[in-house]
Amino acid sequence: MLPAPTATSISMMLGCLGLWALLPAAVQAPPSRRTCVFFEAPGVRGSAKTLGKLLGAGPGPPRVIRCLYSRCCFGIWNLTQDQDQAQVEMQGCWDSDEPGCESPHCDPSPRAHPSPSSTLFTCSCSTDFCNANYSHLPPPGIPGIPGSQGPQAIPGESIWMALVLLGLVLLLLLLLSSIILALLQRNACRVQGGPEPEPEPEADPDSGRDWSAELPELPELCFSQVIREGGHAMVWAGQLRGKLVAIKAFPLRAVAQFQAERALYELPGLQHDHIVRFIAASRGSPGPLPCGPLLVLELHPKGSLCHYLTQHTSDWGRSLRMALSLAQGLAFLHEERWQDGQYKPGIAHRDLSSQNVLIRDDGSCVIGDLGLALVLPGLAQPPTWAPTQPRGPAAIMEAGTQRYMAPELLDKTLDLQDWGTALRRADVYSLALLLWEILSRCPDLRPDSRPPPFQLAYEAELGSTPTTCELWTLAVEERRRPYIPSTWCCFTTDPGGLRELLEDCWDADPEARLTAECVQQRLTALARPQEAHPFLEG
C-alpha cells in the first residue's frame, strides 16, 4: 500500500492532466473501442472506472477495461531508491485522445515526486493492452531525469505546489460546472450502438431510485413482430402466458417518458371499455438489445383506426358505433370522479389521432398511447395524491401530431390561466377531425353508396405531410375545416345534425366548443332507430 503522500500526489497529478474524473460523460465515444489493462493500487484516491466498461471481472488484478471516451491507454509506476523494480499504481483508459498517445508501446517518462526518495513515471499508448508493461524505465539519477541523485524537492515546495494546483482545479470547476452538469444529464442515458457498452440504469429523478428496481422480468413474455415505431418507443405484438399482448418497448434514453406513461396507466379507476387496458410494467428486450423498460398492454389485432378506415368502409350503424365509443372514451378521460372509494382525476390526452385509436373486435374504438397525456387540476383531488404536473407553459403547450392540433396550440394562444379546461377543448377539436374521418368512409352518407378512398383530415387540402406553417395558414388564418358533403345533412331525422355536431366541436373559438360528454349525448341521440330519408339532388 502506498504511503499517504504518494496517493495524494497521484490524485493531484491526474487532476492536472485533464480533470479526468469529471469529464468522461461530456465527450462523444469513438466508433471503435480500445481495450486496456485496468489496475488501481490500494490507497489511490479517485478511480478511472468511469472511463470505460470493466470486462471479465475476475477474483483479482489485473483486469480488462473497454474504453468509452478515447483510444488511449495509460499506466503509472512508482520507483523508489530501495526498489529494484517499479511498482504499478494505476492502469486504465484516458478520458480523451490527447497528444502523446501515438506510441504503440508504453514508454514511461517522469512526471512527479511523491516523496524525496521516489519518482512517478507515466506512459500513454494507442494499442490494445499496451499499458500492460513498460518497455524501459530510466533509473533515478540519470542527468535530466528527476530522481534520488538529481535535484531534490525544496522543503515546503510540494505544499505550495499542491495549494496552487488545488486553486486552479477549483477555479476550473466553478467555470465548467454548469456546462458539465448539462452534458452529463444529456448523455447519461445515450444508447451506444450494439450491445456493448451497456449504459448504466437511469434513476427516477423524483424518487432517486433505480428505474428498474421495482420492475420484474417476465420470463413468459415473448416478442413476435414490430407493429409500430414511434419517437420514444417501439410497439411489438407478443404473448404473455399464452395470451396476445402489445409490448411498448422504451429505449434507455426514454426512461422519463416510460415513467410518465406508466404513472397514468396505474392511476386508480382508469379501467374503461374504450381506454386501452394496462396489464403490467416490466423490463426486458427482444434479442440482444439492451434491457429497457416495457409496458404490456391489451392487443387489438384489427389495428389502428387509420389502418381500418383505409381497408374498410362502415355502414351507418357501425360508423356511429365507432364515433360514439370514441366520444365515450374521451369523456371518461376528461371526467373527474370518485367511484368505489377511488379518485380518478381528469386527464387530457393531447395526442388524439387515428394512429392512436385502436379498433376492438366488436368494431368499437379504444383510445391508446397516453405518452403525452396530462393529469388535470381538479377540485376533488385528495391532498395525498401527487401526480407529476407540467413544469411551465412550454410543457402545457406541448402536443402530439400536428395535423390534429387545435388552432390555439398552433398559434400558441392556449389559455394558460385555466389550462385544464383549455386542454380538454383542444382534445375535442381533435375528436371532431376523427369523427369526420370515420363518417367520410360511410357509404350510407353517399348517394351512390361509394365513399372515396380514405384520407386523413386536411390531406385533401395539404397532402400527407403538411408543415406547421401550412396548417396554421389553413386552420388559424383562413379558419378552414375538412369538407362536409351536403348529402350528410339528408340522411338523419335531424337535417344538419352531423354538420352542426362537427362545427360545434372544431369551432375556432375554444369556448364555443362542445364538451366530450355533450358530444357523447348528441351521438347517442343520433343512434336511435330512424327511417331512411331519400337523398336530395345536389
Side-chain angles (χ1 to χ4, degrees):
M1 181 180 296
L2 284 176
T6 302
T8 303
S9 300
I10 293 175
S11 300
M12 289 171 53
M13 182 183 71
L14 292 176
C16 299
L17 297 178
L19 296 176
W20 55 271
L22 299 172
L23 297 180
V27 291
Q28 179 78 21
S32 58
R33 312 287 179 191
R34 172 71 62 232
T35 305
C36 308
V37 171
F38 179 82
F39 176 77
E40 291 178 348
V44 174
R45 299 179 184 178
S47 176
K49 291 180 181 179
T50 59
L51 301 180
K53 177 179 178 62
L54 291 175
L55 306 176
R63 300 172 69 181
V64 176
I65 188 169
R66 182 75 57 82
C67 300
L68 288 179
Y69 309 104
S70 75
R71 293 176 48 79
C72 187
C73 304
F74 80 90
I76 301 177
W77 287 267
N78 184 29
L79 180 63
T80 60
Q81 287 182 342
D82 56 354
Q83 289 177 327
D84 296 332
Q85 188 175 3
Q87 298 296 316
V88 61
E89 304 296 346
M90 292 186 73
Q91 293 166 310
C93 299
W94 272 130
D95 61 337
S96 62
D97 291 326
E98 298 183 356
C101 286
E102 296 82 4
S103 174
H105 307 291
C106 176
D107 299 322
S109 59
R111 283 300 179 92
H113 281 292
S115 68
S117 61
S118 64
T119 303
L120 286 180
F121 293 83
T122 67
C123 82
S124 56
C125 48
S126 60
T127 56
D128 289 341
F129 306 111
C130 61
N131 64 334
N133 294 293
Y134 52 82
S135 56
H136 68 280
L137 194 65
I142 291 182
I145 301 297
S148 61
Q149 299 177 12
Q152 300 297 318
I154 301 174
E157 179 181 359
S158 298
I159 298 177
W160 281 108
M161 182 175 292
L163 292 175
V164 171
L165 293 176
L166 181 60
L168 292 174
V169 170
L170 291 175
L171 180 61
L172 288 173
L173 287 176
L174 290 175
L175 294 175
L176 298 176
S177 59
S178 60
I179 299 175
I180 292 172
L181 288 175
L183 290 172
L184 286 174
Q185 292 174 357
R186 179 180 177 183
N187 295 335
C189 56
R190 176 174 293 171
V191 179
Q192 306 293 344
E196 290 217 356
E198 182 174 327
E200 295 295 327
E202 182 173 321
D204 181 349
D206 296 324
S207 65
R209 295 174 295 182
D210 180 356
W211 65 266
S212 63
E214 299 177 358
L215 290 180
E217 287 194 68
L218 301 175
E220 310 93 339
L221 188 63
C222 300
F223 295 76
S224 300
Q225 62 180 6
V226 176
I227 55 179
R228 186 180 175 190
E229 294 189 45
H232 294 302
M234 182 178 295
V235 181
W236 291 70
Q239 289 191 9
L240 178 63
R241 304 183 189 95
K243 295 184 178 180
L244 294 176
V245 294
I247 309 166
K248 193 168 185 178
F250 294 79
L252 294 178
R253 67 176 180 274
V255 169
Q257 287 79 6
F258 161 79
Q259 299 280 31
E261 190 167 358
R262 176 193 181 188
L264 280 161
Y265 277 120
E266 292 182 340
L267 287 175
L270 197 63
Q271 295 73 36
H272 191 269
D273 285 343
H274 304 300
I275 304 296
V276 69
R277 187 168 65 90
F278 169 75
I279 298 175
S282 178
R283 56 190 171 94
S285 67
L289 297 177
C291 181
L294 308 173
L295 292 176
V296 183
L297 307 166
E298 182 180 21
L299 178 67
H300 297 281
K302 288 183 178 293
S304 68
L305 176 62
C306 176
H307 173 77
Y308 184 83
L309 294 177
T310 302
Q311 304 293 325
H312 304 89
T313 60
S314 298
D315 61 22
W316 172 247
R318 287 183 293 174
S319 296
L320 202 54
R321 180 180 183 84
M322 286 192 287
L324 180 57
S325 60
L326 184 54
Q328 289 171 337
L330 185 61
F332 171 78
L333 274 183
H334 286 182
E335 184 183 13
E336 178 187 16
R337 62 159 63 180
W338 281 94
Q339 183 173 357
D340 300 329
Q342 291 184 323
Y343 170 71
K344 186 202 86 63
I347 299 170
H349 189 280
R350 301 204 302 163
D351 194 15
L352 271 182
S353 71
S354 49
Q355 286 283 358
N356 292 336
V357 173
L358 305 173
I359 300 297
R360 298 177 57 179
D361 289 336
D362 62 2
S364 61
C365 291
V366 176
I367 297 176
D369 198 341
L370 301 183
L372 287 178
L374 273 184
V375 171
L376 304 176
L379 299 176
Q381 181 173 316
T384 57
W385 190 81
T388 301
Q389 294 293 342
R391 299 186 175 120
I396 296 174
M397 288 287 188
E398 183 183 5
T401 311
Q402 289 187 356
R403 182 186 301 275
Y404 300 92
M405 287 172 59
E408 60 270 24
L409 289 171
L410 289 171
D411 66 356
K412 308 297 183 185
T413 59
L414 188 91
D415 181 11
L416 295 176
Q417 297 298 319
D418 186 8
W419 58 270
T421 301
L423 290 179
R424 286 185 176 98
R425 291 168 177 164
D427 275 353
V428 170
Y429 173 90
S430 305
L431 171 65
L433 299 184
L434 296 185
L435 296 180
W436 179 89
E437 291 181 359
I438 292 172
L439 296 173
S440 69
R441 292 290 282 162
C442 178
D444 291 336
L445 295 179
R446 295 282 175 170
D448 58 359
S449 299
R450 296 178 62 184
F454 173 70
Q455 285 187 310
L456 299 169
Y458 298 123
E459 186 173 358
E461 295 84 359
L462 300 177
S464 58
T465 56
T467 65
T468 305
C469 182
E470 291 172 337
L471 284 166
W472 180 89
T473 300
L474 187 79
V476 179
E477 186 176 35
E478 300 177 2
R479 296 195 174 192
R480 293 167 59 189
R481 299 294 184 266
Y483 171 67
I484 300 177
S486 59
T487 54
W488 289 16
C489 304
C490 308
F491 178 71
T492 66
T493 55
D494 179 17
L498 291 180
R499 175 183 291 274
E500 184 180 358
L501 173 63
L502 295 179
E503 290 178 346
D504 288 346
C505 289
W506 63 34
D507 197 292
D509 180 7
E511 295 183 2
R513 293 177 199 152
L514 303 177
T515 63
E517 183 180 7
C518 187
V519 176
Q520 174 185 337
Q521 292 171 356
R522 288 207 192 179
L523 288 171
T524 301
L526 290 173
R528 295 170 183 167
Q530 304 174 45
E531 297 179 3
H533 285 254
F535 289 100
L536 299 180
E537 292 297 330

